[in-house]
Amino acid sequence: MPHSSEEPQIRPSVPGPRTSAGTARVPQPPRPAVPGPRPGPRPAPPRADRSRPGPGASGSTRPARGPAPSSPGTSTAALTAPTARIRLEAATAATAVAAADDAVDALLDEGRSPGDILVLTTGGPHPWAEHELTFGEDAYWRQQSEGGDVFYAHTSALARATGRPVVVVAVNGGTDAAIAETLPGALGKAGTDLVVCGDPEQLRSLL
């Protein structure tokens, strides 16, 4: 086959669908949009103001407050140890036993069990204690161990008396020194309440 002296013209290929000669190029349809808003540029983090550091900034976090340090020589257990409430009932030495009996009646009316109450006297013994001691020491102290009733004792036997939720003290005599020594011991025997019947001015100076 004879070759033509005229070389064919080579047109550069253009991507996309080929069109026939003399025909206008049909534009491609736009790509379907992705549903939902298109994420915009991520905002830059705010620049920290070094003059006024906010919470979370380096070096600005406050340490959590811990318990206050106790003073030297004082144990934490001593600071948190529970203490019975103290209530004073005005009475004279002559009326202290009657005031103590009224306090016991009020406690029983409030719902206290008789076995929850210990009554102490600083002067003469309570009439109930005198009566029960006529049956002997063993029978007398056995009633304390049984714990079924209010127990009456003299402060001279405080070391032998067992603690109870409520202790009532009738200050019906005794020296200030003896009373001052008795009150801390009575407080130590009381679980929740200590009721002291006596002269308020005298008791405030001793407590």
Side-chain angles (χ1 to χ4, degrees):
M1 181 176 181
H3 293 280
S4 174
S5 60
E6 185 179 357
E7 294 184 0
Q9 294 182 358
I10 301 175
R11 296 177 181 272
S13 60
V14 179
R18 295 179 179 270
T19 59
S20 61
T23 306
R25 195 171 187 176
V26 179
Q28 297 181 2
R31 295 182 180 181
V34 179
R38 181 174 298 179
R42 182 177 297 179
R47 182 175 299 177
D49 187 359
R50 295 187 179 182
S51 62
R52 304 179 73 181
S58 176
S60 65
T61 303
R62 291 186 179 181
R65 291 186 178 181
S70 57
S71 57
T74 303
S75 64
T76 305
L79 295 176
T80 59
T83 304
R85 294 170 295 183
I86 301 176
R87 188 171 84 238
L88 302 181
E89 295 289 345
T92 64
T95 61
V97 171
D101 290 340
D102 291 341
V104 170
D105 290 340
L107 289 167
L108 296 176
D109 291 341
E110 292 171 3
R112 284 285 185 179
S113 171
D116 290 345
I117 304 171
L118 168 66
V119 178
L120 301 172
T121 55
T122 62
H126 192 279
W128 182 93
E130 283 187 315
H131 172 73
E132 294 300 323
L133 282 170
T134 60
F135 300 100
E137 289 273 344
D138 292 342
Y140 169 74
W141 289 106
R142 191 182 307 118
Q143 293 191 14
Q144 175 183 238
S145 302
E146 292 172 352
D149 204 349
V150 181
F151 190 74
Y152 298 81
H154 192 266
T155 53
S156 59
L158 183 60
R160 190 172 178 180
T162 57
R164 291 194 174 187
V166 183
V167 175
V168 180
V169 180
V171 184
N172 61 334
T175 64
D176 286 353
I179 297 170
E181 185 178 353
T182 296
L183 293 178
L187 182 61
K189 298 288 184 179
T192 59
D193 294 275
L194 173 64
V195 183
V196 185
C197 305
D199 182 4
E201 293 184 4
Q202 179 191 24
L203 296 175
R204 289 192 184 97
S205 64
L206 298 177
L207 286 171

